[in-house]
Structures are given as C-alpha cells and as structure tokens.
Amino acid sequence: CRFDRVDNNMTTINTRLGAIQGISNNDVDVFRGIRFAEPPTGTRRFRSPIAAEAWQGTFDATGWGNRSLQAPPQQFDVPEQGELSEDCLFLTVYTPAGSSTREATRPVLVWIHGGAFIMGSGNGYDGSVLANQGDVVVVTVNYRLGMLGFFDLSALDPSFAGSASNGIRDQILALQWVRDNIADYGGDANNVTIFGESAGGAAVNCILAAPEADNLYHRAIAHSGGTPSMPPLDRTNELAAHLSIDANDLVNVLAGMTGEEILTVQMATGLAGGSVIDGTVVTRATPVAMAERGTSGVPYIAGSNHDEGTLFTMMSRDTDYDKVIASMGHNLARSTLDGADPTAYINALRSEYPDATAKEIYETIWVDMFRRASINNAEAASAAGPGGWLYRFDLRSKLAGGALGATHASEIAFTFNSYAAEEMQGIGFHDRRDPIVKQLAHDWSNTVLAFAKTGNPNSGDLPQWPRYEKSSRQSLVLDAESRIAGNELDQHHRHLWGDV
C-alpha cells in the first residue's frame, strides 16, 4: 500500500479499487463508509448481496456510511453518525498511520455489531485505540437489519432460499472484501479475527456454521452470543394478513413498498428474524459445525456477563413480568435449550429461587441463554482441536446505584479499551476515572489483541487462562481481581439446563 499524501488531517492512498481519501490523526488512519456491496434495493431486496465495483476518481472516505433502516433508539440515545437507508452495506477501516510504504502484515479484527438484529451499526464503535495499541487493523461492518435482512420468504419462492440469513450473507461478503482488499490498508488477509457482541456474537456463531465463510477468518470471539439452533419460522401468512392481502401476492407487494414502509410494518408486527439454521447459508448448529471441521476450524473465545438481564428489564416498558416470562421469556428459554420445551426449566428456576421476583427470574433467563451457548461452543471448540476459551465478566457498574451490576454489553468498552480514549464513542457503563476500570480495560484488550495475533489469549496481563475443557471447566472471571474459576462456576445452572 503506497501512501501518497497526508495533509490537513487527511490521508490519500492508492488501492486495487482506486485512490481513497480518509482521515488521519497521526496515530491512526480512518477510512469511513467504504461500499463493499451494491445497494440491496429494488430487485436486489431480500436477495444475496453483490460485491461493489471499483470506483472512479478518488473515493471520499471521510464521511460515515449509511446505517441500516431501524427504529429510533428507546434507551441510551447515543448519537450515531451516518444516515438511515436501505442502501447500507458499508464498512470502516481503522489502521495504524502509515509512512510512504508498509508491509501488509498486521492482524485484522472485523467487528460485527449487536442490536437484536434490528438496530445498531458498525459506525458506533471506534477501533482507533485497538488499532494503535495493538498495531492491528480494525474493520467495522454495517449489514441489513430487521425484515430487510432476516425475514424468511423461502416458502413463497425457492429463489428466496437463505433470505432468513441475508444479514449474515452481508457479513460474509464483507469478509470477502477484507480478503481481497485489506492488504491495501496494511492488514494481513491470512490473519483475520471476527468478533461481535449480542446479535453480533450470534452472527459470529452463525458465520462459524456457514460453509461459504470457511477460510475467510482465522479466529473468532463471541461476546454474549446465542447459537443458531432452530429453523426459521414461516411467518409469511402472518405478514400477508397484516397487509390484508393474499399470501400469493406478498412478494409483489413487498417489492412495491419503500424500505421505510417495510420498517413501519416490522415495527407494527414485530416480524424481524435473526439467528437461525436456514439450511442454505447457516447449515447447522455452531457446535456441530465445530465438530465437523475438527482441526481445520478456528480458535474461539466466548463469554457472558454476570448480570446480563438487568439491561433488558431497565429498557422494558412492561411491569407485569409474569406475562413477560410467559411470552418473551418462554421464547428466550426455548432458545437456551436449543428449541426444546422450556416449561420444566422455567418451573425449576422458580423452585430454585422461591424468593425471587418475576423480574429477577426473567433476568436470570437472559443470563442462562447467553451463558449456556458460550459454554457449549467453547467446549466444542476445545473438543474439536483448535481450542475454546470461556470468560465471565463480573466487574459491577456503579450506574443506577449499582442496580445494573455487570450487565449485558458491559465488557465491550473494555474489549475496545474505550476508557483509554479522550472521548469514548458508544455505550460504557463504568467510570472511566476509576483506576480499576482503566487497568482491566487495558489488560482485557491486550488479551483480545494477543488472541488475534496468535490464536492464544494469554498475554501476561491476566491470570494464565486455560482452554475450556469438559474435564475441568475452567473459566476466566474478569473483575477487580480477575481469577480462574472451575466447575463450581456454572454447575448449579447446568443441572437446571439438564446438562448434568
């Protein structure tokens, strides 16, 4: 990659796709809003994405790429850059500032954002600290959300096979872009780590189970990621009924709607989709994929937070949590048990915690959903050969009088070491002035970087972290005093899940 010019905090480089101008802060060069796919609009709506062509002239990568259409945020109204649009397949590259020439040898980390597959964008995550700290290249990706990215239309037309995982297809195409182009930004296409949180962690687990993505990545990290375990539901009749049309007319009616109109329908019906085994893109559950790939698979880190559910109850407008458990909680518990009837499990929770409120039971279901998936996947990765490592994030936040605890997404600001930045982009739950917070963010981000570089997370900053093996079940507990815990950490709830 040849750097031609740096002036007025701008940097221009020549790439295989053409000249591109980004922003430089002397430590890190940032290239925003790079189109990796043609607009998924018109006849391309609900279809596989198509790789973007090279551009003419100098591409202006100083502005943000569009974000996928989504509803306004209900909580944590952190402003994100970039317009909302159906044309949303863009990525951003953060790379250590270059001189006139450099070798394409830096490890690459590709971030997949969360947001329940209906909200969020890669624009909200700043990879600058990681890029500078670890001498790595960080890529953040936008993908189609909601109905536009995850609604299953295959029952209406075989040509829509895999439409339930179009958002995953977008991410795979972004990885293909990285393979073909990241050397121009100093990155090593043969050392790519995919990492994500919540829906992004589930997406990582889907990519692991998508044969088309094999060999596009070399390590994987799933923060609070669920596992694809069930086929998509055919909800085309439900959608047709909402639109007061015959199901046979649904494809044509959807084709004639604007993206904004489809979003309005999604918000009215709750029809969206998410992590599923569609049979075309995602072909099996993640642990099965790990076993099938064996030693040709990749090293893997998974983990969850001590108090995952408190974020969701704080954001909820519902107060009758017995009804919430009977609806949303039942669905979450079914996902926890890989599609099995969760009635006995929910009853066991109530029996084990007789003094717990319905709200606390609901929060525990969230904890278990993310924890069981993390355990099973880490165990499968170790059994297959490449190795799996399991963590739990326990450092409590002081927000809301400490009521949140170590809630969902708590560790993400630590993963990006955002507390080291002068201005933190995105959501952080901890006090950046707290020396314990700053130290753990430094140590954990170095662990992530060590894993991206070598496939082994042990960097010397935290306790020696063994693989998660079925025989010992050792996990890294991240806290003010981080430690290694054994089988006792999860054994009680593994009984409740029927795993012991």
Side-chain angles (χ1 to χ4, degrees):
C1 174
R2 186 165 60 84
F3 281 69
D4 298 320
R5 184 176 71 252
V6 177
D7 56 34
N8 296 325
N9 296 320
M10 302 293 181
T11 180
T12 301
I13 65 174
N14 288 326
T15 75
R16 64 183 290 273
L17 296 176
I20 184 170
Q21 183 180 63
I23 299 170
S24 176
N25 68 359
N26 297 321
D27 292 325
V28 176
D29 296 333
V30 184
F31 300 90
R32 299 169 173 162
I34 302 173
R35 181 184 291 281
F36 67 88
E38 296 299 322
T41 57
T43 58
R44 296 191 182 112
R45 180 185 285 168
F46 299 116
R47 303 288 186 179
S48 295
I50 297 174
E53 300 289 339
W55 52 78
Q56 301 296 317
T58 299
F59 186 89
D60 182 2
T62 61
W64 292 102
N66 296 335
R67 297 176 287 142
S68 180
L69 288 174
Q70 57 195 275
Q74 301 299 312
Q75 295 281 348
F76 302 114
D77 191 7
V78 179
E80 282 197 34
Q81 302 294 330
E83 299 296 323
L84 295 178
S85 174
E86 190 175 355
D87 177 14
C88 63
L89 301 184
F90 298 89
L91 56 80
T92 297
V93 177
Y94 300 84
T95 185
S99 52
S100 58
T101 60
R102 58 180 174 177
E103 298 294 329
T105 57
R106 290 169 171 80
V108 181
L109 293 95
V110 178
W111 175 253
I112 303 172
H113 72 82
F117 295 106
I118 59 172
M119 58 187 172
S121 84
N123 298 0
Y125 299 86
D126 190 340
S128 297
V129 174
L130 272 187
N132 185 47
Q133 175 180 332
D135 194 31
V136 299
V137 177
V138 179
V139 180
T140 63
V141 178
N142 293 348
Y143 56 95
R144 284 174 285 180
L145 300 173
M147 287 180 61
L148 292 167
F150 295 94
F151 191 76
D152 183 26
L153 290 170
S154 61
L156 301 178
D157 186 333
S159 69
F160 288 109
S163 60
S165 296
N166 275 335
I168 305 301
R169 282 172 161 158
D170 297 341
Q171 298 158 17
I172 294 172
L173 184 61
L175 290 173
Q176 292 171 350
W177 185 96
V178 167
R179 176 196 61 197
D180 297 337
N181 297 284
I182 205 63
D184 291 335
Y185 302 84
D188 181 0
N190 293 311
N191 188 359
V192 174
T193 297
I194 52 174
F195 67 142
E197 183 269 339
S198 194
V204 166
N205 291 334
C206 285
I207 290 171
L208 289 165
E212 185 182 358
D214 290 354
N215 303 317
L216 294 175
Y217 59 94
H218 310 90
R219 337 224 186 270
I221 305 173
H223 302 281
S224 299
T227 297
S229 58
M230 295 177 283
L233 295 174
D234 178 7
R235 305 187 73 175
T236 52
N237 287 328
E238 187 177 347
L239 178 58
H242 175 81
L243 295 172
S244 300
I245 62 173
D246 188 277
N248 293 325
D249 298 327
L250 185 56
V251 170
N252 289 333
V253 170
L254 288 173
M257 297 172 69
T258 66
E260 287 77 9
E261 288 170 339
I262 291 175
L263 175 62
T264 299
V265 170
Q266 173 190 314
M267 294 169 61
T269 62
L271 300 176
S275 168
V276 295
I277 301 174
D278 63 86
T280 299
V281 182
V282 181
T283 59
R284 67 277 206 217
T286 308
V288 175
M290 289 175 171
E292 289 178 352
R293 294 187 67 188
T295 56
S296 67
V298 301
Y300 176 82
I301 289 175
S304 59
N305 297 277
H306 186 278
D307 306 292
E308 295 275 3
T310 56
L311 179 67
F312 300 101
T313 54
M314 187 188 72
M315 295 170 62
S316 174
R317 296 179 178 179
D318 296 304
T319 56
D320 188 342
Y321 279 100
D322 283 314
K323 288 185 178 179
V324 173
I325 290 172
S327 54
M328 180 65 173
H330 189 88
N331 293 335
L332 294 172
R334 183 181 294 277
S335 178
T336 301
L337 301 179
D338 298 331
D341 184 348
T343 303
Y345 157 69
I346 294 175
N347 290 339
L349 280 180
R350 294 186 186 276
S351 177
E352 288 291 323
Y353 303 103
D355 297 327
T357 65
K359 173 176 174 288
E360 291 168 337
I361 294 294
Y362 179 60
E363 291 171 347
T364 302
I365 293 172
W366 278 104
V367 171
D368 282 1
M369 183 184 72
F370 293 123
R371 190 63 184 168
R372 185 171 189 252
S374 298
I375 289 171
N376 289 347
N377 289 337
E379 179 183 329
S382 287
W389 288 263
L390 182 69
Y391 74 84
R392 192 179 75 186
F393 188 88
D394 280 21
L395 186 65
R396 297 179 62 86
S397 164
K398 297 177 182 177
L399 285 180
L404 282 174
T407 195
H408 185 67
S410 284
E411 80 273 45
I412 302 312
F414 292 78
T415 294
F416 282 86
N417 199 8
S418 300
Y419 296 112
E422 292 182 6
E423 294 184 2
M424 187 179 74
Q425 185 175 3
I427 296 172
F429 298 97
H430 293 75
D431 184 354
R432 65 187 306 111
R433 299 164 298 181
D434 186 335
I436 292 175
V437 169
K438 295 182 77 70
Q439 186 63 51
L440 183 57
H442 173 269
D443 293 346
W444 175 241
S445 57
N446 273 345
T447 297
V448 170
L449 289 166
F451 181 74
K453 292 176 179 179
T454 68
N456 187 323
N458 288 290
S459 65
D461 295 318
L462 291 168
Q464 186 70 19
W465 189 6
R467 294 184 178 195
Y468 188 80
E469 304 280 358
K470 186 176 182 179
S471 58
S472 57
R473 300 197 179 280
Q474 291 182 295
S475 305
L476 172 63
V477 178
L478 296 164
D479 207 340
E481 293 290 337
S482 296
R483 60 189 173 89
I484 301 297
N487 187 50
E488 74 282 356
L489 195 67
D490 299 297
Q491 186 175 26
H492 182 60
H493 275 243
R494 291 183 64 248
H495 276 282
L496 298 181
W497 306 328
D499 293 343
V500 177

